[in-house]
Amino acid sequence: GLSRLQQNSNTLKHEFGHTIQMKNMGLDGYMTNVFFHSITINLLDRLEKLPYDYHSYPWEAEADVYGGVERQMTNPLPDGTNVSLGDLIKLFFE
């Protein structure tokens, strides 16, 4: 799912981290807790409606940790913020 422009080492490591998440959670858990959230914030980011850094969302930050990626973020999600899929979908309409 990566284009040639996206194939840098951090992107590949991050996507490998998602693979580890899927192995740990199983397919159903991964789809429910990571996949749909990740697709949603990706679309919001492309529409410039994502309020915080893409990789600061919990499932993305965890993929970075599993993949060994260290990032500097300019606008991270505040600690302890609980983000539901419903909350993310509402952002499309704001």
Side-chain angles (χ1 to χ4, degrees):
L2 299 174
S3 74
R4 288 182 182 203
L5 297 175
Q6 293 174 310
Q7 292 186 11
N8 64 54
S9 63
N10 277 345
T11 300
L12 293 173
K13 288 177 184 179
H14 174 83
E15 294 307 321
F16 177 72
H18 279 308
T19 302
I20 295 171
Q21 286 175 313
M22 188 170 63
K23 286 181 181 181
N24 290 344
M25 295 178 183
L27 183 58
D28 289 343
Y30 180 80
M31 297 295 286
T32 302
N33 298 303
V34 176
F35 179 78
F36 292 118
H37 292 70
S38 187
I39 294 297
T40 303
I41 66 168
N42 186 286
L43 293 171
L44 287 166
D45 194 40
R46 290 170 191 239
L47 294 170
E48 297 182 0
K49 291 187 170 202
L50 193 63
Y52 302 103
D53 290 338
Y54 180 90
H55 291 99
S56 70
Y57 285 81
W59 51 90
E60 300 301 331
E62 183 180 62
D64 274 354
V65 169
Y66 285 144
V69 178
E70 293 184 28
R71 294 186 195 273
Q72 297 294 325
M73 294 188 221
T74 57
N75 188 25
L77 185 73
D79 288 340
T81 303
N82 187 10
V83 182
S84 73
L85 186 56
D87 293 334
L88 294 173
I89 291 171
K90 288 177 189 175
L91 294 173
F92 284 106
F93 304 100
E94 291 183 357

